[in-house]
């Protein structure tokens, strides 16, 4: 298996633009997680899904952030409108069962100017 | 509220040295604890997962221990190599509530000098 796949790897955009990050989990995994990593706050869970259904979105910072999982092999995290403080590395992870190892993708480095 | 702390934030050792990385957590009601490695500009690689009922787990030169009652875990690296240089993160999974959620420490950045 190729592991968790994320795209794009790097994204530079201007304030106010819409940003869409994409994730393909490991085939067969039923849990998908979106994290954000910054120097100041470390790794924070934004939202996670079980069988394509959002379970906990309490980490989503504000209404500008939204996430979807239309099927078992694809998820998106959207920021609209983007702001400079959204600049971070966004990771997607997946696992088989909620108590088992989480496997992380390579991340998307987002820069909002 | 569960908080995870890793001390020290950075560590530099000569090659060949055995070393210990520390992780502490405030609430002992955890399901399990996972250690990760992160290389610069890369994602996280899972190293070891310790269930709350376990005391330790081993993989090659790595040994992770868990003392749930005292809220501590250690990652022992034997005979360190320059290739071990990376940031090491620990994360705990809560026992109740949304148990899919991992709470991460800030990490220890390790440099192993040749």
């Amino acid at each position: 298996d190729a592991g968790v796949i994320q795209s794009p790897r790097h994204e530079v955009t201007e304030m106010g633009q819409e940003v869409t990050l994409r994730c393909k989990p490991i085939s067969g995994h039923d849990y998908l997680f979106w994290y954000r990593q910054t120097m100041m706050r470390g790794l924070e869970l934004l939202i996670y899904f079980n069988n394509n259904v959002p379970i906990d979105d309490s980490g989503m910072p504000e209404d500008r952030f939204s996430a979807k999982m239309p099927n078992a092999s694809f998820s998106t995290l959207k920021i609209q409108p983007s702001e400079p403080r959204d600049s971070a590395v966004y990771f997607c992870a997946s696992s088989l069962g909620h108590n088992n190892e989480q496997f992380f993708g390579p991340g998307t480095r987002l820069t909002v100017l | 509220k569960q908080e995870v702390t890793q001390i020290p934030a950075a560590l530099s050792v000569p090659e060949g040295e055995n070393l210990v990385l520390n992780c502490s957590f405030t609430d002992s009601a955890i399901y399990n604890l996972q250690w990760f490695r992160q290389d610069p500009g890369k994602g996280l690689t899972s190293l070891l997962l310790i269930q709350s009922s376990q005391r330790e787990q081993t993989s090659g030169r790595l040994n992770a221990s868990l003392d749930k009652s005292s809220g501590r875990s250690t990652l022992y690296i034997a005979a360190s190599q320059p290739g071990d240089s990376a940031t090491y993160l620990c994360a705990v999974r809560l026992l109740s509530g949304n148990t899919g959620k991992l709470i991460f420490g800030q990490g220890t950045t390790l440099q192993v000098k040749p």
Side-chain angles (χ1 to χ4, degrees):
Chain A
D1 198 315
V4 177
I5 298 172
Q6 291 186 248
S7 65
R9 294 293 311 278
H10 302 274
E11 176 82 29
V12 180
T13 191
E14 293 189 346
M15 183 174 62
Q17 296 298 305
E18 177 179 297
V19 175
T20 299
L21 311 181
R22 298 173 176 80
C23 175
K24 176 179 168 54
I26 292 173
S27 178
H29 282 189
D30 55 348
Y31 279 79
L32 183 140
F33 306 82
W34 281 101
Y35 291 89
R36 178 171 67 177
Q37 186 177 39
T38 61
M39 287 294 293
M40 288 296 294
R41 301 174 67 91
L43 260 169
E44 301 174 288
L45 178 68
L46 300 177
I47 185 171
Y48 75 92
F49 296 83
N50 173 220
N51 291 325
N52 315 337
V53 176
I55 301 300
D56 181 359
D57 65 354
S58 60
M60 296 285 262
E62 45 197 278
D63 292 346
R64 298 184 296 105
F65 286 69
S66 63
K68 294 182 180 180
M69 192 165 186
N71 57 62
S73 59
F74 183 67
S75 176
T76 60
L77 178 68
K78 186 175 293 186
I79 308 172
Q80 167 64 20
S82 57
E83 297 182 3
R85 60 194 169 114
D86 302 331
S87 298
V89 181
Y90 291 81
F91 289 104
C92 176
S94 69
S95 67
L96 179 60
H98 66 289
N99 292 324
N100 295 323
E101 283 182 281
Q102 291 186 18
F103 295 88
F104 280 68
T108 295
R109 181 173 295 276
L110 173 65
T111 303
V112 183
L113 303 174
Chain B
K1 179 186 174 186
Q2 178 72 274
E3 293 183 0
V4 181
T5 304
Q6 292 185 248
I7 295 174
L11 183 63
S12 180
V13 301
E15 181 177 5
E17 192 163 299
N18 302 325
L19 59 101
V20 173
L21 306 181
N22 297 296
C23 172
S24 60
F25 45 95
T26 54
D27 187 346
S28 62
I30 64 168
Y31 196 92
N32 55 37
L33 183 146
Q34 195 167 353
W35 280 94
F36 294 88
R37 167 186 173 139
Q38 185 175 26
D39 292 283
K42 301 288 180 63
L44 279 68
T45 300
S46 178
L47 297 174
L48 291 162
L49 175 71
I50 312 178
Q51 302 295 344
S52 63
S53 58
Q54 297 176 316
R55 296 284 293 180
E56 64 179 73
Q57 281 280 6
T58 298
S59 175
R61 294 183 295 108
L62 305 179
N63 176 277
S65 68
L66 175 64
D67 184 343
K68 203 174 61 166
S69 61
S70 67
R72 293 183 181 180
S73 176
T74 61
L75 179 67
Y76 175 83
I77 303 176
S80 59
Q81 303 170 358
D84 295 330
S85 299
T87 296
Y88 292 81
L89 296 127
C90 70
V92 300
R93 182 172 282 105
L94 302 177
L95 185 58
S96 61
N98 289 320
T99 55
K101 185 173 183 175
L102 280 176
I103 300 172
F104 282 84
Q106 291 279 43
T108 295
T109 298
L110 171 67
Q111 182 185 31
V112 181
K113 298 177 181 177

